[in-house]
Amino acid sequence: MKHFTALYSMPVEGLEAWMKKPESERKEAEAKMRTEWDAWLAAHKGAVLKTIALGATKRVSDKGVESTKNGLMLSSYVEAETLEDAAEIFKDHPHVSIPGAIIEVMETRDL
């Protein structure tokens, strides 16, 4: 088996618009998404090894360190035979039902 990383993202503007919604509306939608996520995870429990939430971002460049925003929200580490198999795991993931949201899957390997 090979290992893959999946990055969940959506446009920064979408995240900012989401945070402007009333808290009660967000909580209700988040609870629904969590239920759907748990069902998806149960269906793929053998392949999804770990998922982590991503937070505040710092950009490091030849100009130094600065605060920045990007659309990255979560990361999952998965196991599959091929990149195509790994991507197939995510085709019905609840995250892609969010307008503008995407999941990118890439092979990972030790250096």
Side-chain angles (χ1 to χ4, degrees):
M1 288 285 213
K2 295 180 179 179
H3 292 109
F4 302 86
T5 297
L7 297 173
Y8 305 69
S9 66
M10 67 181 289
V12 172
E13 300 81 25
L15 291 170
E16 290 171 346
W18 175 255
M19 294 310 294
K20 290 179 183 174
K21 291 183 181 243
E23 184 176 355
S24 61
E25 185 179 333
R26 288 195 327 261
K27 294 269 186 217
E28 183 178 327
E30 288 167 0
K32 180 181 181 293
M33 179 70 71
R34 186 63 200 195
T35 298
E36 293 169 353
W37 177 290
D38 289 344
W40 175 87
L41 190 57
H44 300 286
K45 68 179 179 179
V48 180
L49 305 176
K50 183 173 185 152
T51 298
I52 57 173
L54 304 174
T57 304
K58 294 288 185 182
R59 178 176 291 149
V60 181
S61 70
D62 60 355
K63 297 175 184 153
V65 178
E66 58 189 327
S67 294
T68 189
K69 290 183 180 182
N70 61 40
L72 296 174
M73 300 172 66
L74 301 158
S75 172
S76 288
Y77 190 56
V78 300
E79 192 171 60
E81 291 291 332
T82 67
L83 176 57
E84 290 75 20
D85 292 341
E88 282 292 314
I89 292 169
F90 294 92
K91 72 178 183 180
D92 62 346
H93 194 285
H95 181 73
V96 297
S97 69
I98 301 168
I102 62 169
I103 300 173
E104 295 186 55
V105 182
M106 63 206 78
E107 186 172 353
T108 57
R109 59 189 177 281
D110 292 331
L111 294 178

